[in-house]
Amino acid sequence: MNHSYFTPHENAVSITITGSGGSGAVTAGLVLLESVARAGLYGLMGRSVGPQIRGGESAAMVRFSSQPVDCPGDRFDLLVALDWRNVLRFVDEIPLDERSLIIADPAAGDAPEALTQSGAQLLTLPIKEIASGVKGGRINMVALGAVGAVCALPPDAMTESAAHTLAPKGDAVVAAATECILKGYDSVAEGRSFAAAPRPERARARWNISGNEASGLGALRGGVRFVAAYPITPATEILEWLAPRLEQLDGTLLQAEDELASVNMIIGASFGGVPALTTTSGPGLSLMMEGLGLAVASEIPAVVVNVMRGGPSTGIPTKSEQADLNIAIYGFHGDAPHLVLAPLSITDCIATTQWGVGLAERLQTVAIVLTDQSLGQARAVIDPPEMPLFTLSRQLADQPTDPYLRYRVTAEAVSPVTAPGTADGIYTGDGLEHNERGAPSSIAADHLAQLEKRQRKLEGFDYGKRWAEIEGEGDICLLTWGSSAGVVFEAANRLRAQGQTVRVLAVRLLAPLRTQILREAIGTAQRVLVVEQNHQAQFFHYLNAQQALPPSAESYARPGPLPIRPGEIVDLVQQGGDV
Amino acid sequence: MSTAQDRKNLKPKDYKSEIKPIWCPGCGHFSVLSAITKALAHLGLAKEQVALISGIGCSSRIPAYVDTYGFHGVHGRALAVASGLKAARPDLTVLTAGGDGDGFSIGGNHFLHACRRNMDLTYIAMDNEVYGMTKGQASPTTAPDWSHSKLTPHGTGIRRFQPAAIALASGASFIARGFSGDPSGLARLVVEAIQHPGFSFVHVLSPCPTFRPEQRAWKQQVHPCDLETTDNPIDAAHAIQSDDGRSLGIFYIESLPVWRSEKAAQRSLSRIEQEFLV
């Protein structure tokens, strides 16, 4: 299991590089993250962008440490402003204080009062002047060099990362970037580096991966070889990552005309025997619900990775929220048992997506995998992940009975299935209620038998220990799901450091809920706090509906777009509840 | 696996399943079913290598009545299911069938894009100008002054959807019209449609004796298309647009690039994973 959550983060550093769209803030952040990896450290990079394609605001937010990083910190140690033009649009996302440092170029004008009133110190550097002294020089690389100096990152790690990241842009760009980084580095006087910054360690092999890439990799590892695609923020990168790689694995990606088509395309491919997946975000998932009901009824394996964003409707497409839990669990028409899973970290997007594909195949049903923008569009430097070995696959009817009973009610309620091409296994898949043979039927006994079969195959399956990540023992139980796990684990570690006893329960398998084991895992905790990022406390109410919570359980549900920070949870616990 | 010799001996009735259709007596769809099974027998296709995909409606019940693989999905989405299946399993012969409401109203967007994608699919649209399964409402191909539905007692007042013209404009590479009253002629069209590489659209006039009894007169109204089959879209447009909607034949066949799954130099998954190493 994943032990990356044991992270005290006493020596983590948080940096943000901001600028107007096109200023190169995000590129600088990407190079910084890779530099962190080359320095033997771990890191997490989130990005904040406006809805504009060009000319908006953008910020790269990098937190790095000598231990794995799974959530943003409470505050920023360093803000580097490439310009001040649009910075006020995300000032709420950049908490600064008197220990923070702002690096800016006086030529870009004065720092806005909204930032300086935090008490942060200001370090002025002639960024623009330095860049103009380099042929083809860019301010973002000068700024990056300054960040490296302040954070005591080795210059080699930075220039090698820039060379790797910028290689597609040609040698001249790499040469200019290298010179800018070194000049930026030298522009910071000695003694200005953070004492608290984690020191570089002997470099070891690391992975640099985004949550969306991780979900795509999990899909491939799960055996997905057909993907239907309709673009939507913030899920599109999964599809873009998969498109060329499916071609390399003899698979197929098909761009659909809309989400109604994409979900039905994966049903068609999966009916053909090929494990299939699509990805979307909230509004797209709404359109897919009709097709997902069909997949449940016709028992065709189908997987949807839904990368959640602020909702409802178009909402806040570039920001994160965990607000699609209700539709994922309750959004189906009819009685439609299915799987809902949620990765707990960027790394976990690999294993949980892979598990979702395996379970959908094994149980011939729908799996919805709920990630979100904070995982999908963030990148992490991690240890090369241990890849789980699942033995979950579709049970094939190689030698079908005569007549072939496609929907035979078996002991475990999964009916071996044929794919077209199997001579004696001909059947018609149907969204109409049907008998065991697959012939349409509105007979009460057939309906009940098939409803029970579809429920029982999910309820009776042994999901093992992967249903949740459980850590610690204690009077306080912090209960959470999906992307909020990272921040909850860090808060728990801080509370433990203060002498509190805390248990964390981070749920991966949301449906079918392992209610009895969950109750046992909560045990006799005196205080139960349910943490999630949405406005309606969807997880809290779901758990209550399943009677999984003690009556005294409390909810901490806060919507996006601002991330939940570990200090919020620590404060909440310290303020005390009824206990 | 059936041998080629076995398949040569297959008769149209061998492609029919044991399930009895739910259709009303006199329904045109019976003859479309016969035409499809005749075409499959003529081509000697192995039953397990054929998949018939549909949506919802009277005509969409057809997969259960054919002894090939079948999928009866939801309303309007048959072409999407068929496209996913064909993309993932190019070895199969994939047929799609359904009605005018399913294909041109709720499934209209999928129809447009299936035409322009030009996958090697055959789409048989059984048009009776009415929603039969919901008991007689106007469909996209119903005449604007047809006032026999409680839903539109004054008629819809809106122009009819022109399936063949829209298929042409959307990029279909094979466009034909058949009539259920001529199952042999229809079977020949279906054979040609299946053999055509690319998206083949067969518009079938298939009367509904229950809600549109006046369609019995179609037998007297249908006639062969005046023009020869063309590969020129301008000539085809002229033929289709000047047509009375009752002419039969193949209007248009053009050799256009057929959608196919692109393949690249193969790599193992572990090689792909190396991309993430720093």
Side-chain angles (χ1 to χ4, degrees), chain A residues 271, chain B residues 51-55 63 69-72 78-79 81-82 85 94-98:
Chain A
F271 169 74
Chain B
L52 177 52
I53 312 298
S54 72
Y69 278 89
F71 195 81
H72 181 211
L79 283 169
V81 173
L85 176 60
V94 181
L95 313 179
T96 312

Side-chain angles (χ1 to χ4, degrees), chain A residues 50 52 55-57 86-93 319:
Chain A
Q52 306 88 343
E57 67 277 18
N86 296 303
V87 76
L88 294 178
R89 288 195 198 153
F90 40 64
V91 73
D92 288 347
E93 295 178 50
K319 308 282 182 182

